[in-house]
Amino acid sequence: DTEVTQTPKHLVMGMTNKKSLKCEQHMGHRAMYWYKQKAKKPPELMFVYSYEKLSINESVPSRFSPECPNSSLLNLHLHALQPEDSALYLCASSPVVSGSQPQHFGDGTRLSIL
Amino acid sequence: DQQVKQNSPSLSVQEGRISILNCDYTNSMFDYFLWYKKYPAEGPTFLISISSIKDKNEDGRFTVFLNKSAKHLSLHIVPSQPGDSAVYFCAAYHNTDKLIFGTGTRLQVFP
């Protein structure tokens, strides 16, 4: 059982829709991450939150808007996405932002843009 | 520019034998390395890690070896089991906060 829970598991949306992805962890971790994974490619970092503050934005287009309302919850708000944004979106957490601790991943949300 | 490379996209091993998965990296500033396993429809699961001050780390059937001079690490699974069939990613930390993944190797363990 994964300790990082992502909802929904699947999402299909049109290019004009607004939707949100949700990620929750109850391990007391203070670092949370969003990754994007295209088919047959490795996960690529999008955003890093440290103590509920955005610390890294990997030049992600503004149609992706992250939010960290509290230490357990991470959202990714989606608006006016493009077909090339179809991918698996993974959330991860770690105790703190550190270069020597593993990140724990959720099972992801598979997003399809029509 | 792929800083972490797994040159074998797939590997097939008989049950009970050793599986060796390889990973090369280009950035000499990387100092912490991890291996993740991924089943279809699931997120990556952390397996084992190694710091650059070590050359070997062992956890049960899994051993990771690091050769800093060659910028190479490998994951050994002994003995291999059918449940080990998955995609394996190596990863390295860049600047303490960014995890960079390799392209993955699909391991198939057959009876």
Side-chain angles (χ1 to χ4, degrees):
Chain A
D1 286 341
T2 181
E3 296 179 85
V4 177
T5 304
Q6 291 188 244
T7 55
K9 290 192 183 302
H10 302 275
L11 179 62
V12 179
M13 58 187 285
M15 289 189 284
T16 58
N17 292 156
K18 284 186 181 182
K19 297 285 185 183
S20 296
L21 309 185
K22 180 179 172 181
C23 174
E24 202 163 0
Q25 57 86 15
H26 295 288
M27 296 179 282
H29 290 176
R30 304 309 297 271
M32 297 187 76
Y33 312 80
W34 280 115
Y35 287 83
K36 174 181 178 179
Q37 186 178 19
K38 301 282 279 185
K40 300 190 188 301
K41 297 285 189 182
E44 292 184 347
L45 183 67
M46 299 174 72
F47 302 104
V48 179
Y49 271 84
S50 177
Y51 290 90
E52 295 92 71
K53 290 190 184 340
L54 182 65
S55 63
I56 292 181
N57 176 342
E58 286 287 305
S59 302
V60 178
S62 60
R63 57 185 184 268
F64 295 90
S65 176
E67 178 197 21
C68 191
N70 59 57
S71 60
S72 300
L73 192 56
L74 185 66
N75 297 320
L76 186 62
H77 303 298
L78 315 172
H79 174 55
L81 295 194
Q82 303 297 308
E84 61 264 28
D85 297 322
S86 297
L88 180 68
Y89 288 84
L90 293 162
C91 173
S93 72
S94 62
V96 292
V97 169
S98 163
S100 61
Q101 293 175 326
Q103 296 177 18
H104 300 269
F105 285 81
D107 287 340
T109 293
R110 187 159 299 280
L111 177 66
S112 298
I113 307 300
L114 300 178
Chain B
D1 180 28
Q2 191 67 31
Q3 297 187 68
V4 180
K5 301 177 184 179
Q6 294 175 255
N7 292 319
S8 297
S10 64
L11 176 68
S12 190
V13 172
Q14 188 172 30
E15 182 179 4
R17 301 275 195 166
I18 184 171
S19 294
I20 300 176
L21 297 99
N22 294 305
C23 179
D24 297 295
Y25 61 97
T26 57
N27 191 333
S28 58
M29 299 301 291
F30 291 160
D31 60 6
Y32 194 79
F33 304 88
L34 309 90
W35 283 94
Y36 283 85
K37 177 170 73 172
K38 189 178 186 300
Y39 293 119
E42 293 185 11
T45 300
F46 169 69
L47 270 178
I48 191 169
S49 60
I50 188 166
S51 165
S52 60
I53 62 173
K54 295 184 174 182
D55 55 16
K56 177 183 174 180
N57 189 25
E58 193 171 355
D59 183 0
R61 296 186 298 115
F62 301 92
T63 303
V64 56
F65 295 92
L66 176 62
N67 183 331
K68 283 185 64 179
S69 60
K71 295 192 183 68
H72 177 84
L73 64 156
S74 61
L75 175 67
H76 293 208
I77 307 174
V78 183
S80 301
Q81 300 173 353
D84 296 329
S85 297
V87 177
Y88 289 78
F89 291 98
C90 68
Y93 266 111
H94 183 268
N95 291 339
T96 77
D97 46 23
K98 183 175 178 178
L99 199 55
I100 297 178
F101 285 85
T103 48
T105 296
R106 182 176 301 278
L107 173 66
Q108 182 178 5
V109 181
F110 60 93

